[in-house]
mmCIF file of all heavy atoms in Angstrom:
data_model
loop_
_atom_site.group_PDB
_atom_site.id
_atom_site.type_symbol
_atom_site.label_atom_id
_atom_site.label_comp_id
_atom_site.label_asym_id
_atom_site.label_seq_id
_atom_site.Cartn_x
_atom_site.Cartn_y
_atom_site.Cartn_z
ATOM 1 N N ALA A 80 -0.894 -8.138 0.759
ATOM 2 C CA ALA A 80 -0.437 -8.279 2.251
ATOM 3 C C ALA A 80 1.036 -8.705 2.341
ATOM 4 O O ALA A 80 1.724 -8.309 3.345
ATOM 5 C CB ALA A 80 -1.310 -9.301 2.960
ATOM 6 N N VAL A 166 -0.315 -6.479 7.499
ATOM 7 C CA VAL A 166 -0.723 -7.702 6.822
ATOM 8 C C VAL A 166 -2.227 -7.890 7.055
ATOM 9 O O VAL A 166 -2.946 -8.275 6.058
ATOM 10 C CB VAL A 166 0.008 -8.917 7.399
ATOM 11 C CG1 VAL A 166 -0.446 -10.261 6.861
ATOM 12 C CG2 VAL A 166 1.535 -8.760 7.140
ATOM 13 N N VAL A 167 -2.723 -7.640 8.240
ATOM 14 C CA VAL A 167 -4.176 -7.802 8.493
ATOM 15 C C VAL A 167 -4.974 -6.785 7.599
ATOM 16 O O VAL A 167 -5.927 -7.205 6.950
ATOM 17 C CB VAL A 167 -4.516 -7.556 10.044
ATOM 18 C CG1 VAL A 167 -6.029 -7.656 10.179
ATOM 19 C CG2 VAL A 167 -3.729 -8.611 10.801
ATOM 20 N N ALA A 168 -4.568 -5.510 7.651
ATOM 21 C CA ALA A 168 -5.277 -4.518 6.871
ATOM 22 C C ALA A 168 -5.275 -4.773 5.373
ATOM 23 O O ALA A 168 -6.317 -4.680 4.665
ATOM 24 C CB ALA A 168 -4.703 -3.108 7.184
ATOM 25 N N CYS A 169 -4.126 -5.203 4.896
ATOM 26 C CA CYS A 169 -3.997 -5.397 3.390
ATOM 27 C C CYS A 169 -4.675 -6.755 2.993
ATOM 28 O O CYS A 169 -4.842 -7.040 1.821
ATOM 29 C CB CYS A 169 -2.600 -5.407 2.992
ATOM 30 S SG CYS A 169 -1.845 -3.733 3.094
ATOM 31 N N GLY A 170 -4.948 -7.554 3.951
ATOM 32 C CA GLY A 170 -5.629 -8.876 3.656
ATOM 33 C C GLY A 170 -7.174 -8.647 3.321
ATOM 34 O O GLY A 170 -7.810 -9.655 3.013
ATOM 35 N N ASN A 171 -7.635 -7.473 3.566
ATOM 36 C CA ASN A 171 -9.043 -7.178 3.289
ATOM 37 C C ASN A 171 -9.066 -5.994 2.315
ATOM 38 O O ASN A 171 -8.774 -4.909 2.686
ATOM 39 C CB ASN A 171 -9.803 -6.887 4.633
ATOM 40 C CG ASN A 171 -11.274 -6.622 4.405
ATOM 41 O OD1 ASN A 171 -11.683 -5.815 3.623
ATOM 42 N ND2 ASN A 171 -12.105 -7.356 5.143
ATOM 43 N N GLN A 172 -9.535 -6.310 1.076
ATOM 44 C CA GLN A 172 -9.436 -5.257 -0.007
ATOM 45 C C GLN A 172 -10.341 -4.113 0.313
ATOM 46 O O GLN A 172 -10.091 -2.881 -0.001
ATOM 47 C CB GLN A 172 -9.845 -5.828 -1.356
ATOM 48 C CG GLN A 172 -8.777 -6.823 -1.867
ATOM 49 C CD GLN A 172 -7.487 -6.082 -2.213
ATOM 50 O OE1 GLN A 172 -7.468 -5.149 -2.940
ATOM 51 N NE2 GLN A 172 -6.396 -6.523 -1.547
ATOM 52 N N ASP A 173 -11.458 -4.253 1.021
ATOM 53 C CA ASP A 173 -12.384 -3.232 1.367
ATOM 54 C C ASP A 173 -11.719 -2.291 2.380
ATOM 55 O O ASP A 173 -11.862 -1.105 2.348
ATOM 56 C CB ASP A 173 -13.732 -3.732 1.901
ATOM 57 C CG ASP A 173 -14.485 -4.445 0.820
ATOM 58 O OD1 ASP A 173 -15.110 -3.752 -0.060
ATOM 59 O OD2 ASP A 173 -14.448 -5.668 0.732
ATOM 60 N N MET A 174 -11.012 -2.885 3.352
ATOM 61 C CA MET A 174 -10.344 -2.093 4.296
ATOM 62 C C MET A 174 -9.209 -1.245 3.629
ATOM 63 O O MET A 174 -9.059 -0.016 3.833
ATOM 64 C CB MET A 174 -9.667 -2.892 5.394
ATOM 65 C CG MET A 174 -8.868 -2.127 6.480
ATOM 66 S SD MET A 174 -9.912 -0.934 7.375
ATOM 67 C CE MET A 174 -10.808 -2.001 8.377
ATOM 68 N N LEU A 175 -8.455 -1.877 2.779
ATOM 69 C CA LEU A 175 -7.316 -1.243 2.063
ATOM 70 C C LEU A 175 -7.946 -0.088 1.165
ATOM 71 O O LEU A 175 -7.324 1.030 1.229
ATOM 72 C CB LEU A 175 -6.595 -2.251 1.241
ATOM 73 C CG LEU A 175 -5.385 -1.830 0.463
ATOM 74 C CD1 LEU A 175 -4.385 -1.206 1.414
ATOM 75 C CD2 LEU A 175 -4.745 -2.922 -0.229
ATOM 76 N N ASN A 176 -9.014 -0.369 0.482
ATOM 77 C CA ASN A 176 -9.562 0.630 -0.341
ATOM 78 C C ASN A 176 -10.241 1.748 0.338
ATOM 79 O O ASN A 176 -10.220 2.897 -0.122
ATOM 80 C CB ASN A 176 -10.504 -0.037 -1.426
ATOM 81 C CG ASN A 176 -9.810 -1.024 -2.356
ATOM 82 O OD1 ASN A 176 -8.607 -0.848 -2.575
ATOM 83 N ND2 ASN A 176 -10.497 -1.960 -2.803
ATOM 84 N N MET A 197 -10.908 -6.301 13.193
ATOM 85 C CA MET A 197 -10.715 -7.386 12.218
ATOM 86 C C MET A 197 -10.168 -8.596 12.867
ATOM 87 O O MET A 197 -10.661 -9.698 12.574
ATOM 88 C CB MET A 197 -9.902 -6.896 11.022
ATOM 89 C CG MET A 197 -10.562 -5.751 10.230
ATOM 90 S SD MET A 197 -9.419 -5.134 8.990
ATOM 91 C CE MET A 197 -9.258 -6.526 7.940
ATOM 92 N N VAL A 202 -15.472 -7.237 12.913
ATOM 93 C CA VAL A 202 -15.664 -6.813 11.480
ATOM 94 C C VAL A 202 -14.945 -7.788 10.643
ATOM 95 O O VAL A 202 -13.818 -8.033 10.759
ATOM 96 C CB VAL A 202 -15.137 -5.429 11.288
ATOM 97 C CG1 VAL A 202 -15.248 -5.028 9.855
ATOM 98 C CG2 VAL A 202 -15.797 -4.392 12.170
ATOM 99 N N ARG A 203 -15.764 -8.498 9.736
ATOM 100 C CA ARG A 203 -15.131 -9.562 8.982
ATOM 101 C C ARG A 203 -15.352 -9.339 7.454
ATOM 102 O O ARG A 203 -14.408 -9.462 6.646
ATOM 103 C CB ARG A 203 -15.844 -10.858 9.358
ATOM 104 C CG ARG A 203 -15.553 -11.308 10.795
ATOM 105 C CD ARG A 203 -16.513 -12.427 11.159
ATOM 106 N NE ARG A 203 -17.952 -11.937 11.244
ATOM 107 C CZ ARG A 203 -18.935 -12.647 10.729
ATOM 108 N NH1 ARG A 203 -18.717 -13.807 10.094
ATOM 109 N NH2 ARG A 203 -20.139 -12.191 10.753
ATOM 110 N N THR A 204 -16.511 -9.013 7.045
ATOM 111 C CA THR A 204 -16.821 -8.971 5.612
ATOM 112 C C THR A 204 -16.590 -7.558 5.018
ATOM 113 O O THR A 204 -16.514 -6.548 5.749
ATOM 114 C CB THR A 204 -18.257 -9.355 5.353
ATOM 115 O OG1 THR A 204 -19.162 -8.294 5.906
ATOM 116 C CG2 THR A 204 -18.588 -10.664 6.033
ATOM 117 N N GLY A 205 -16.562 -7.551 3.680
ATOM 118 C CA GLY A 205 -16.438 -6.235 3.011
ATOM 119 C C GLY A 205 -17.574 -5.301 3.339
ATOM 120 O O GLY A 205 -17.363 -4.163 3.500
ATOM 121 N N VAL A 208 -16.924 -3.735 6.682
ATOM 122 C CA VAL A 208 -15.928 -2.694 6.656
ATOM 123 C C VAL A 208 -16.472 -1.459 5.952
ATOM 124 O O VAL A 208 -16.268 -0.350 6.475
ATOM 125 C CB VAL A 208 -14.724 -3.236 5.777
ATOM 126 C CG1 VAL A 208 -13.796 -2.053 5.443
ATOM 127 C CG2 VAL A 208 -14.035 -4.305 6.557
#
Side-chain angles (χ1 to χ4, degrees):
V166 175
V167 176
C169 292
N171 185 303
Q172 289 298 303
D173 292 283
M174 178 62 74
L175 184 56
N176 294 333
M197 295 172 64
V202 176
R203 296 166 295 136
T204 67
V208 168

